[in-house]
């Protein structure tokens, strides 16, 4: 008696099936091809993982937007203080050169006035950009053409009535 012939031991047929011998199908009776259940399951897992990643990125982005807003708010007083200290430095330079306090005050006033004019000019240009001026002009031209067309039709019909 050989060791493999004992009860419960692997037989030659089972060894061939384990090795994947030609002619023997390891999945007896199952057709070969893609396992659609595994594909659907993998697709579902991928969608779930992608949704989790998206949710985490949205949370991170929202927190970043809040922090960015707070930093921008903190920038306003820093910008104002920097602007004022720069204006005072220029005023001191004007005072140092001329020795007159009035010249220093006028220098600061002119500097602030120039900055205000530049700011208002930029605001006006931005208002013009967001005012849909091209669209309004196109609508106005279309309305003029429709009015001319209506006036021509009305003039033509009124002439034929006479």
């Amino acid at each position: 008696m050989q060791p493999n012939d004992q009860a419960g031991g692997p037989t030659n047929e089972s060894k061939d099936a384990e090795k994947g011998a030609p002619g023997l199908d390891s999945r007896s009776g199952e057709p070969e091809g893609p396992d659609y259940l595994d594909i659907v399951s993998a697709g579902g897992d991928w969608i779930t993982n992608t949704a989790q990643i998206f949710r985490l990125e949205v949370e991170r982005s929202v927190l970043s937007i809040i922090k960015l807003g707070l930093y921008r708010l903190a920038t306003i007083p820093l910008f104002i203080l920097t602007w004022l200290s720069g204006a005072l430095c220029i005023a001191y330079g004007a005072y140092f050169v001329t020795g007159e306090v009035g010249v220093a005050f006028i220098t600061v006033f002119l500097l602030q006035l120039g900055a205000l004019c530049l700011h208002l000019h930029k605001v006006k240009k931005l208002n013009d950009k967001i005012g849909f001026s091209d669209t309004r002009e196109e609508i106005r031209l279309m309305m003029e053409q429709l009015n001319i067309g209506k006036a021509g039709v009305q003039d033509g019909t009124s002439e034929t009535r006479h």
Side-chain angles (χ1 to χ4, degrees):
M1 182 172 190
Q2 295 180 356
N4 286 339
D5 291 342
Q6 296 175 359
T11 62
N12 285 339
E13 290 176 6
S14 63
K15 283 183 187 177
D16 289 341
E18 288 175 4
K19 291 180 186 177
L24 292 176
D25 188 9
S26 62
R27 290 185 272 166
S28 59
E30 289 185 23
E32 293 207 16
D35 188 6
Y36 294 109
L37 186 60
D38 288 342
I39 293 172
V40 170
S41 175
D45 290 344
W46 179 82
I47 290 172
T48 303
N49 291 338
T50 304
Q52 282 182 324
I53 290 170
F54 178 74
R55 182 185 56 82
L56 291 172
E57 284 185 335
V58 166
E59 287 176 7
R60 183 181 63 192
S61 295
V62 167
L63 291 175
S64 295
I65 288 170
I66 292 170
K67 286 181 182 179
L68 181 64
L70 292 174
Y71 279 120
R72 293 220 174 167
L73 283 175
T75 302
I76 294 170
L78 290 173
F79 181 75
I80 291 170
L81 290 173
T82 303
W83 177 259
L84 288 176
S85 63
L88 289 175
C89 287
I90 292 172
Y92 179 74
Y95 172 73
F96 184 75
V97 170
T98 63
E100 296 288 329
V101 175
V103 172
F105 285 135
I106 291 172
T107 302
V108 170
F109 174 74
L110 291 175
L111 181 65
Q112 300 297 332
L113 185 64
L116 179 64
C117 289
L118 179 67
H119 177 74
L120 291 176
H121 175 71
K122 292 288 187 182
V123 167
K124 184 180 182 301
K125 284 178 69 173
L126 284 173
N127 277 335
D128 291 343
K129 283 184 180 180
I130 62 173
F132 296 99
S133 59
D134 293 336
T135 303
R136 283 188 285 151
E137 179 66 21
E138 193 65 31
I139 290 171
R140 187 187 63 77
L141 289 172
M142 183 179 68
M143 294 303 284
E144 283 180 4
Q145 289 176 350
L146 288 174
N147 285 337
I148 290 172
K150 286 181 181 178
V153 169
Q154 289 173 356
D155 290 341
T157 57
S158 63
E159 290 177 6
T160 56
R161 288 183 187 169
H162 291 280

